Amino acid sequence: MKYAAVQNCIGGAFVSPDAPLLDVYDPSVGAVISRVPLSGAREVDAAVRAARGALTAWAGTPIKERVQVLYRYRTLLNRHIDELAALVTEENGKIASEARAEVLKAAELTEFACSLPQIVTGEVLEVSRGVECRVEHFPVGVVTAITPFNFPNMVPNWSIPNAIALGNCMILKPSELVPLSANRIASLLKEAGLPDGVLQVVHGGQEVVEALCDHSGIAAVSFVGSTRIARVVYRRATGNLKRCLALGGAKNHLIVMPDADREMAAANIVASMSGCAGQRCMAASIMIAVSGTDHVIARLAEVARAMVPGADVGPVISAAALERITRYIDEAEAAGATVVVDGRHATVPGKEGGYFIGPTIIDHVTPDMRIAQDEVFGPVLAIVRATNVGEAMAIENASPYGNAASVFTESGGVARYVMEHANAGMVGVNVGVPVPREPFSFGGWNDSRFGVGDITGRGSIGFWTQAKKMTTKWNREAGINWMS
Ligand code: NAD
């Protein structure tokens, strides 16, 4: 095995818990590369103790000093980008350029956290003669980030830099499918000078998550993953009276109008549906083709057909995921849809054990088919036909999810109509993956997010802090009024 069993990081030390171990796979070859411990409530309790032990000093450190660690961390992310990207490729399967982009994004997220001292300045006003009100943002306490498999480096960095810059201590619970990047993040933060106890990493699955939701020493739970688990986590954490932000799955609709720029639309749509093997919560999943767009469909089929599994598209995460995705395609075909580009049974020479599926485009899908409703989470694009933009928006609006939607058009009026009427938190115009970049924040609507606020950018500040409202009077000569 290439890597020794993964350890937890508690109080700045890497330790092996007395816990059962689960195999960690390299999905591009289907081989075991490490083992991850399935920790439990005992390890969570140790992590909370370490975090609480560090909290007073860290929360009491001025924010400008706290972010000095993050400036150094960002430098380390850039310095080690090749190694960090290789680790992402190894445990998640992403092709090299995608893994590199993920680490670059982690650096950008850290840059935002470095700018927080400029952004979280408080407010002050003389509210009555001689009486001053001020608002300051205080840390929440010990907080968590529970993260999914699809971005082993970036998603932990959605939460860690902002949460710790704002004075919290954190417990990261990475996906048990991709535990290696998380420990490297912890070791780089330690190298950057993060005091012991400010960040813990506890590996495992359901048992750890439940213990995090239940532990009375934890004040806030952030979660990113599927809608099914987001619901469970949100209910359990808020049931324990914690604040919780739980981001879920997605079903993103791209509306293509007849006036869309053919080349731009085809390139963007294929990149969106096949990038990271379709395992992005922002991936295009359904294209709604408004009448007169056959030329765009023909071009995007050409672009998709030219993509080579193993070179342009990485594997999906597991044999089970490959089987699930293939089943969705088989089922849609059996229900009468047309498989225009077929990525099933893809093989990559030398990587026969890998979980590969090529880009797949299925036309004449109807909104009632399962493939049009469920999150498939693979490089699969279902095309549903509509006669006008109103009909297209009705299909989009009917989805219980609400992460992203996009329109390809040259018409400002149509673009504005879609921006206003999309039932989603992130909307694009002529953009296949409408991810807002910092300082703008990331977060969907409906079943794609439970809780208030966003996970990154300015929209996350409210989640990672609590506002203290202070009213003071020092000048006796201001006289007496009802306030003092
Ligand atoms: P997942 O829900 O299976 O796992 C997410 C986390 O929950 C992991 O850490 C996992 O260990 C834990 N978990 C799994 N089962 C659990 C259970 N029964 N009880 C408690 N915790 C449990 O998600 P995944 O498969 O790792 O990631 C893919 C999903 O994440 C997709 O649905 C994708 O859309 C979503 N995602 C959403 C966003 C977003 O911003 N909305 C971003 C990335 C990924």
Side-chain angles (χ1 to χ4, degrees):
M1 215 177 320
K2 181 162 181 194
Y3 298 99
V6 175
Q7 295 179 301
N8 289 338
C9 176
I10 296 187
F14 285 93
V15 289
S16 298
D18 181 15
L21 297 172
L22 183 76
D23 289 342
V24 178
Y25 288 85
D26 173 345
S28 58
V29 288
V32 176
I33 51 171
S34 183
R35 295 216 163 88
V36 62
L38 296 176
S39 313
R42 201 180 35 209
E43 287 75 28
V44 167
D45 188 55
V48 175
R49 283 169 196 275
R52 294 204 75 81
L55 186 61
T56 306
W58 184 244
T61 304
I63 187 168
K64 275 175 171 285
E65 277 179 44
R66 290 195 298 250
V67 300
Q68 296 312 311
V69 173
L70 295 169
Y71 279 106
R72 293 191 290 270
Y73 173 58
R74 182 199 170 273
T75 303
L76 291 172
L77 285 173
N78 284 321
R79 188 178 301 156
H80 295 281
I81 185 163
D82 293 337
E83 172 220 328
L84 292 165
L87 206 51
V88 168
T89 294
E90 232 173 336
E91 62 180 347
N92 169 280
K94 257 170 227 202
I95 59 170
S97 57
E98 292 169 347
R100 211 180 154 79
E102 171 167 353
V103 181
L104 284 172
K105 182 65 201 178
E108 185 181 43
L109 290 154
T110 308
E111 283 164 21
F112 175 75
C114 291
S115 76
L116 279 167
Q118 274 55 255
I119 296 175
V120 292
T121 52
E123 299 161 32
V124 60
L125 184 74
E126 185 186 42
V127 291
S128 185
R129 181 62 52 85
V131 179
E132 178 195 282
C133 260
R134 56 192 290 141
V135 178
E136 288 181 32
H137 299 279
F138 282 72
V140 181
V142 177
V143 301
T144 78
I146 301 163
T147 55
F149 78 80
N150 64 329
F151 283 93
N153 192 306
M154 180 190 79
V155 172
N157 279 300
W158 274 0
S159 298
I160 298 169
N162 288 356
I164 64 178
L166 292 167
N168 302 287
C169 289
M170 166 154 286
I171 301 171
L172 169 66
K173 204 302 281 176
S175 164
E176 62 275 39
L177 303 178
V178 293
L180 301 170
S181 295
N183 277 18
R184 195 63 186 110
I185 288 169
S187 70
L188 287 179
L189 275 164
K190 191 173 166 71
E191 190 180 336
L194 190 70
D196 293 345
V198 177
L199 175 70
Q200 276 55 238
V201 186
V202 180
H203 292 281
Q206 180 173 352
E207 215 180 311
V208 176
V209 173
E210 289 176 356
L212 291 169
C213 291
D214 293 348
H215 201 294
S216 60
I218 293 174
V221 171
S222 80
F223 171 91
V224 181
S226 62
T227 292
R228 188 172 70 83
I229 309 300
R231 270 203 186 94
V232 171
V233 168
Y234 188 78
R235 288 204 176 106
R236 192 150 180 156
T238 56
N240 283 315
L241 306 179
K242 301 180 196 312
R243 62 171 70 180
C244 181
L245 182 60
L247 271 62
K251 189 76 186 168
N252 305 313
H253 295 69
L254 298 188
I255 293 124
V256 178
M257 299 301 292
D259 67 346
D261 180 288
R262 190 179 76 130
E263 287 307 312
M264 184 169 71
N268 270 273
I269 294 168
V270 173
S272 177
M273 56 79 72
S274 67
C276 303
Q279 300 174 123
R280 283 190 290 199
C281 65
M282 296 296 279
S285 185
I286 294 206
M287 167 177 155
I288 309 179
V290 174
S291 301
T293 45
D294 282 353
H295 61 297
V296 181
I297 295 173
R299 182 65 188 131
L300 73 92
E302 273 171 23
V303 176
R305 253 183 231 114
M307 297 189 79
V308 179
D312 304 315
V313 196
V316 294
I317 191 68
S318 63
L322 181 59
E323 199 187 309
R324 186 197 68 237
I325 297 160
T326 307
R327 209 178 318 124
Y328 271 110
I329 303 167
D330 294 346
E331 202 181 287
E333 192 175 34
T338 315
V339 180
V340 178
V341 181
D342 194 348
R344 287 173 290 187
H345 316 297
T347 48
V348 176
K351 294 185 172 176
E352 285 75 13
Y355 314 126
F356 288 96
I357 176 165
T360 298
I361 298 178
I362 313 172
D363 201 355
H364 302 293
V365 169
T366 53
D368 57 317
M369 290 182 189
R370 239 163 45 94
I371 202 166
Q373 294 175 2
D374 296 358
E375 179 177 45
V376 176
F377 225 52
V380 179
L381 184 72
I383 302 179
V384 175
R385 304 285 182 142
T387 50
N388 56 53
V389 69
E391 198 186 311
M393 292 316 291
I395 296 168
E396 190 276 339
N397 283 191
S399 172
Y401 293 102
N403 225 35
S406 222
V407 61
F408 286 84
T409 183
E410 293 297 293
S411 158
V414 169
R416 182 67 210 169
Y417 180 82
V418 172
M419 283 195 277
E420 269 183 31
H421 291 88
N423 191 15
M426 295 170 278
V427 184
V429 175
N430 297 323
V431 175
V433 185
V435 172
R437 291 181 65 171
E438 286 57 42
F440 302 102
S441 51
F442 187 103
W445 286 4
N446 312 324
D447 285 1
S448 295
R449 183 209 51 185
F450 304 108
V452 176
D454 290 326
I455 193 90
T456 66
R458 275 199 292 254
S460 72
I461 294 169
F463 186 73
W464 298 123
T465 59
Q466 46 193 346
K468 190 177 279 184
K469 289 69 66 179
M470 293 176 264
T471 307
T472 56
K473 181 176 178 184
W474 289 104
N475 48 347
R476 240 174 261 143
E477 64 279 12
I480 303 256
N481 60 28
W482 68 268
M483 287 196 81
S484 68

